[in-house]
Amino acid sequence: MPEDQETVVIGVAADMASSPVLPDGTTLREVTTDADLHAIAGLETSVWGEDLSWMGRELIARRVTDPGAVMFFAVTDDATGQVVSAAWTIFYPGTDFGYLAGGSTLAPWRRRGIYRALVAVRAQRAAARGTRYVMVDASSDSAPILRRLGFRAVTTTTPYVWTPAAPG
C-alpha cells in the first residue's frame, strides 16, 4: 500500500550547520541510553498516532550493531522532562552522505524552531565528521522548511508498506 510521497532533499552539511536555537524551557541533547531510545519511540507513537513501540528496539539494535554510524538527538521540555522532538543521523561509511531521519515533533511544540534546531545540530555533527552532504526523505510538512534552509530537492519517492498474506 502506498504511503504519502516524499521529497528527497540534499544540502551541503557545512552550509546547513549552525548553532541550534531552541525555545526557552527546552534542552537539546545527544542521547545514547536504551531508555532515551524508547522515549523517542514513544514520541513517534504520539506524533504518528500508531503503535511504533517497536522503533525503540530497532534504534537500540542500530546503535549496538554499529555505534559510530548513528547519532540520536532529543529535545525535552525542561519542566516535565518529556521528549517533545527527536531526530537522528545515519552515516554511511565510504560515502559523502549522512541521512537525517526522524525529525518528529509533538503538535503543541511545532512552529517554535525545534525542527530547524535538530537539522542544525545534525548538520553540524555531520560536517565535524567530514560528511560532505546531508539528505532527508522529507514529508510535505518538512520539505518547505528544508528548502528555506538551503536544501535542494532532487527527486521524489513513494514509500510502500508490504503486508504479506497470512500463511494459509
Side-chain angles (χ1 to χ4, degrees), residues 134-158:
V134 287
M135 64 166 285
V136 180
D137 286 324
S139 69
S140 59
D141 292 331
S142 300
I145 298 167
L146 293 164
R147 280 195 215 98
R148 284 193 300 273
L149 293 175
F151 283 78
R152 292 198 169 181
V154 295
T155 192
T156 59
T157 62
T158 303

Side-chain angles (χ1 to χ4, degrees), residues 100-119:
L100 306 185
S104 297
T105 305
L106 292 173
W109 290 90
R110 293 180 189 151
R111 302 193 185 289
R112 298 186 191 190
I114 294 172
Y115 180 78
R116 287 188 306 275
L118 283 166
V119 170

